């Protein structure tokens, strides 16, 4: 199994994003559990979630609860690093809101601990900056959780380079991950990826295949990915993830999935080696 590092933890080079199993268009629980178990069988040891991955206002933490159930019912569940997040909210009307207040983040972490059924969360990430709250205050709450042993590692999400440096400073050099959107359709996080490479901080691209509704369009929208996929006899999605892995050893993609076959195809990207010419071609897309 190909691995990468997040902090002092070795994880599979490809993780699993849990969001599609809990928001709009989600499958039934049986298929979600089958997807999670297929990932564990294949060797996935990083699963990304958040308390905001749910539909209705009365089911906060739906995805965390689902993942906890899957891990508890699989003999490899204890090998998985679960990364969750706090600071984003879903009121239940389809919208997303923010709450970066320290008191909210600390209460959200406690609730995530209960849902995941653990004494300390493996990786806890501040989900998204809240313009109403000083960034230092929000990250300071994560630092407190780290110091108190409520979380084992700390990360941030949807951050710019200045916020990455600021968070790492507030955390006393203990920032281990940055989770930003990055895909062929969304390349504006290149500076953050490069900074993470420089600092040795794991960079976790979210929606690496373009998002739930567009992942299947990757080959048709970006012809070079389709051509290289055909040459290798694999899917354009697999080529996309292999391209990301080739960009830096700190990159750990977390493609979402809600079907066993989807995560198995994604996981196989770690075995795909692209030539320097192919990587250069994809870099120009």
């Amino acid at each position: 199994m190909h691995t990468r590092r997040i902090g002092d933890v070795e994880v599979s080079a490809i993780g699993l994003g849990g969001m599609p199993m809990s928001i709009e268009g989600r499958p039934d629980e049986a298929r979600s559990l089958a997807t999670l178990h297929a990932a564990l069988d294949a060797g996935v040891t990083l699963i990304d979630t958040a308390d905001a991955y749910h539909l209705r206002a009365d089911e906060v933490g739906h995805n965390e609860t689902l993942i906890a159930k899957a891990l508890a019912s699989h003999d490899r569940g204890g090998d998985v690093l679960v990364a969750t997040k706090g600071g984003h909210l879903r009121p239940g009307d389809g919208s997303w809101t923010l709450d970066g207040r320290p008191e909210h983040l600390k209460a959200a972490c406690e609730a995530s601990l209960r849902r995941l059924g653990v004494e300390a969360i493996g990786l806890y990430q501040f989900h998204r900056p809240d313009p109403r709250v000083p960034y230092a205050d929000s990250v300071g709450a994560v630092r407190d959780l780290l110091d108190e042993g409520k979380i084992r590692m700390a990360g941030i999400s949807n951050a710019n380079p200045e916020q990455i440096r600021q968070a790492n400073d507030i955390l006393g050099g203990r920032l281990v991950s940055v989770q930003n959107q990055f895909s062929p359709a969304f390349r504006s996080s290149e500076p953050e990826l490069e900074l993470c490479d420089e600092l040795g901080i794991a960079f976790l691209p979210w929606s690496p295949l373009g998002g739930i509704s567009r992942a299947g369009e990757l080959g048709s929208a970006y012809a070079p990915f389709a051509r290289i996929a055909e040459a290798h006899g694999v899917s354009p999605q697999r080529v996309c993830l292999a391209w990301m892995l080739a960009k830096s050893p700190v990159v750990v993609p977390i493609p979402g999935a809600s079907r066993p076959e989807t995560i198995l195809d994604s996981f196989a990207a770690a075995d795909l080696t692209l030539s320097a010419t192919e990587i250069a071609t994809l870099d120009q897309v």
Side-chain angles (χ1 to χ4, degrees), residues 19-31:
M19 186 174 75
M21 292 178 268
S22 290
I23 65 166
E24 288 82 356
R26 68 191 186 192
D28 59 31
E29 184 175 283
R31 196 176 91 191

Side-chain angles (χ1 to χ4, degrees), residues 5 11 15 23 50 91 106 114 131 148 176 185-186 206 224 235 251 281:
R5 297 198 72 81
V11 299
I23 65 166
K106 292 181 178 181
R114 290 192 295 272
E148 294 165 7
V176 303
F186 193 93
W206 61 264
S235 69
V251 174
T281 298

